[in-house]
Amino acid sequence: MKYSKIMLGAALIGATASTIFAQETLRSLAEERGRYIGAILNSEWFNNAIESQFEEIHKTQFNAVVAENEMKFDATEPNKGQFSYAKGDKMVTYAKANKMRVRGHALAWHSQVPGWVNNIRDKKQLLDVLKNHIDNVVGHWKGEVAEWDVVNEAINDDNNHGWRSNGSVWFQTIGAEFLDSAFVWAHAADPDAELCYNDYAIEWGLGQGSKAGFVVDQVKRWKQNNIPITCVGTQTHIEISHETTPQNVRALAKALAEHDVVLNITELDVGFPQGSAGSLGASDYAKQGHLYRQFMDVFLEEPNMGEFMIWGVTDAHSWLDGQQGKTQGLIYDKQYKAKPAYDSLIASLKAHPASEVKSPYKSAATPDTTVQDTTTQDTSAHDTTAVQDTTVKDTTTQDTVATPGPVVSDTGNVGIRRGSATLTEVRMNLVGRTLSIVGASNAKVQVFDMRGRPVYSAVTSKGSVDLSAISDGLYVVRVKVGSKTLERRVALR
Ligand code: G3I
C-alpha cells in the first residue's frame, strides 16, 4: 500500500505526539486530583502465580494498594506471638518502588482469625492478644502503611442497629469495647496512620435501622469520646442491579463529613449473576461501566472522599466467582483487556477537572517540613494506676459523655480514663479547611502567614475550627492547650 507524503507526515506527527504526551491513566488522572485509585494485590501475586500483565497494569494504573489476604490476622500472627511479615513486606517494597499509598487490611475482623485466637474465652486475655497484635503489626509497618482497616465488619446484618455477635470471638468474649480499644491502640502504635472502620452493605441508605445509619451513630460517639477514627470504608461489593447505591454512598459521605471523617470506597466490584457469564453482551458491560462511572462521579464530587479501591484488577482473578456467586465484576476482562468500565472511569475523571476536585489529603499531603511538633512533654506525675486498664469502655448504648482523649502513660500504655484526664497527647488534623484538634477539647488556635503575621485566632471548645476564611497559601498553625503548644506548617487550598 503506498502512503502519500502527507499521510506519512501526519502519521509521524501523531506518533511523536503520543510519545510526548504520555497516555493518560487512572493513576495520572487521580494524582492530578490529589486522590488515590487502587486495587488489591491478589494472593496469586504474593505467591508469584499470576500473569506478568497483572503487575504491569497494576503499577501503571493505580497509586494505592492493599493486600487481599496477607495483612489479615491469620496471615500476620498465625501462632501466638509469632509474627509473619514477609508477604506484607513484599507489598510495602512494591508500593515504595512504585510510589503507591498502602492500605492495611485488617486488624480486628471476625473472619480469618487463627484458631488459637478463636478459642479464647477470657476477656482480659483476649484484650491482651488484640493489643499485642496491633502493637506489633501496626508498629512493624509504622510510617509505611498510610491507613488501616482497624475494625472490619463488626455490625450485624439484621438492620437492628446492633453489633455482630455470631462468629465473632471479639464481640462474644470482649463485647463492643474491643472496637474503641482497637482504635486507641492503633493510634498509639502509629499516630500518623489514618484509622478506618470498614464494612459492607453500608451502601443502602441511612434509613431507620440501616447499617449505614448505625455506622454514622458510632462515628459520632467515637468523635465525641476522642476515639481516633479518621475514616470509614464502604466496601461496595455491588451487583449490576444495585442502581441506587452510588447516591447512597454520596449520602453517607455527606453524613460523615459532618463529623470530619473521610469516606473511602475500599473493595469495589460490580458483579453479574454467575449464571449469566456466557450470555453477557455489550449492553451489559455498558451498564456495568455506567455504575462504575456513577461511583467515580460521587467519589470525585464529595470533598471528604479519598480512596477508590477496586477489589481486583482482572476478572481472571476475583473472589466473586469462587465465593460470591457472581462474576466479571472488575474493569479488565480475563485476557487483561480493558472493559467499558475502565473507559467510564477515565471519562469521569476527565469530566471533573483537577481544579474542581477537593481532597482530604491535598492540604495534609503537603510535606510538613516544620521542625517536630513542639508539644511540651507533660512532666506532671502520672496516675499510672488509671492507665493499667487500657481498654476503652464501650458507651454504645449509654448517653455519650465527652470522654477525655487517650492518655499516654510513662510506660507508653494508652487508654481512656474517666473523669478528669491529664492529656499528654495533642494532635491536629487538617481535612479540607477544618482543623481538628485531637486529644483536647479546649484549645487556642492561631494561624500566622509565612512572615509571622497573625491571620487568624480563635479559642475552640468543640475540638475543631473552620479555616475557610483564610486565603490559599502556606501558613503556620499554632495550637495551645494549657501549657502545651503544637505548631505545624500547613498548606491551605
Ligand atoms: O491460603 C490458603 C491456601 O493455602 C489453601 O490451599 C486454599 C484452599 O483452601 O485456601 C487459601 O486460603 C484462602 C484465602 O482466600 C487465600 O487465597 C481461603 O480459603 C479463602 O477463604 C480466602 O478468601 C478471601 C476472603 O476474603 C476470606 O473471607 C478472599 O481471597 C478475599 O478476596 C476476601 O476478601 C474480603 C475482605 O477481606 C473483606 N471484605 C469482603 C471481601 C470478600 O469476601
Side-chain angles (χ1 to χ4, degrees), residues 231-248:
C231 52
V232 167
T234 172
Q235 292 183 11
T236 325
H237 291 297
I238 294 301
E239 291 191 32
I240 194 70
S241 57
H242 298 162
E243 296 174 359
T244 63
T245 49
Q247 292 317 316
N248 294 336

Side-chain angles (χ1 to χ4, degrees), residues 68-69 72 105 109 112 152-153 235 267 311 319 323:
E68 183 175 28
N69 292 292
K72 294 172 180 175
H105 173 80
W109 184 27
Q112 292 182 270
N152 190 42
E153 303 178 11
Q235 292 183 11
E267 305 182 14
W311 206 248
W319 77 289
Q323 300 180 48

Side-chain angles (χ1 to χ4, degrees), residues 258-270:
E258 291 177 21
H259 303 288
D260 298 336
V261 166
V262 169
L263 179 67
N264 290 326
I265 291 175
T266 51
E267 305 182 14
L268 181 58
D269 38 42
V270 181

Side-chain angles (χ1 to χ4, degrees), residues 180-353:
D180 302 26
S181 297
F183 277 102
V184 169
W185 294 333
H187 179 70
D190 186 351
D192 292 325
E194 306 286 339
L195 302 178
C196 291
Y197 174 77
N198 192 52
D199 213 330
Y200 63 86
I202 58 177
E203 306 88 17
W204 293 102
L206 293 157
Q208 183 61 33
S210 67
K211 226 174 160 179
F214 189 59
V215 168
V216 174
D217 290 349
Q218 299 317 306
V219 164
K220 181 179 177 184
R221 173 176 68 86
W222 283 325
K223 297 295 276 187
Q224 283 172 342
N225 293 349
N226 284 307
I227 297 296
I229 182 172
T230 65
C231 52
V232 167
T234 172
Q235 292 183 11
T236 325
H237 291 297
I238 294 301
E239 291 191 32
I240 194 70
S241 57
H242 298 162
E243 296 174 359
T244 63
T245 49
Q247 292 317 316
N248 294 336
V249 166
R250 187 191 299 277
L252 179 55
K254 291 185 181 305
L256 292 171
E258 291 177 21
H259 303 288
D260 298 336
V261 166
V262 169
L263 179 67
N264 290 326
I265 291 175
T266 51
E267 305 182 14
L268 181 58
D269 38 42
V270 181
F272 294 97
Q274 201 139 48
S276 63
S279 59
L280 295 172
S283 63
D284 298 300
Y285 295 121
K287 183 176 179 182
Q288 182 181 51
H290 181 57
L291 257 178
Y292 264 98
R293 164 139 197 181
Q294 287 177 293
F295 282 114
M296 182 58 79
D297 288 348
V298 169
F299 171 70
L300 295 171
E301 293 162 8
E302 295 306 319
N304 66 319
M305 294 189 79
E307 292 165 348
F308 187 101
M309 304 298 289
I310 306 172
W311 206 248
V313 174
T314 163
D315 292 334
H317 300 286
S318 168
W319 77 289
L320 290 176
D321 299 278
Q323 300 180 48
Q324 188 64 358
K326 292 189 276 187
T327 191
Q328 299 186 39
L330 300 170
I331 64 174
Y332 286 86
D333 69 17
K334 294 188 175 182
Q335 290 70 43
Y336 286 90
K337 182 174 175 296
K339 297 159 66 175
Y342 173 86
D343 301 328
S344 297
L345 294 180
I346 292 283
S348 173
L349 283 155
K350 296 174 82 167
H352 292 83

Side-chain angles (χ1 to χ4, degrees), residues 347-418:
S348 173
L349 283 155
K350 296 174 82 167
H352 292 83
S355 58
E356 293 173 12
V357 177
K358 293 188 172 25
S359 165
Y361 307 119
K362 234 177 207 171
S363 48
T366 306
D368 177 0
T369 54
T370 51
V371 292
Q372 287 315 306
D373 288 345
T374 56
T375 311
T376 48
Q377 290 311 319
D378 174 1
T379 52
S380 56
H382 283 291
D383 166 6
T384 51
T385 52
V387 293
Q388 291 318 311
D389 171 8
T390 58
T391 55
V392 181
K393 300 297 169 280
D394 170 50
T395 60
T396 312
T397 51
Q398 302 149 19
D399 289 338
T400 51
V401 290
T403 305
V407 175
V408 182
S409 76
D410 297 335
T411 58
N413 278 329
V414 182
I416 298 291
R417 196 170 54 182
R418 298 210 166 288

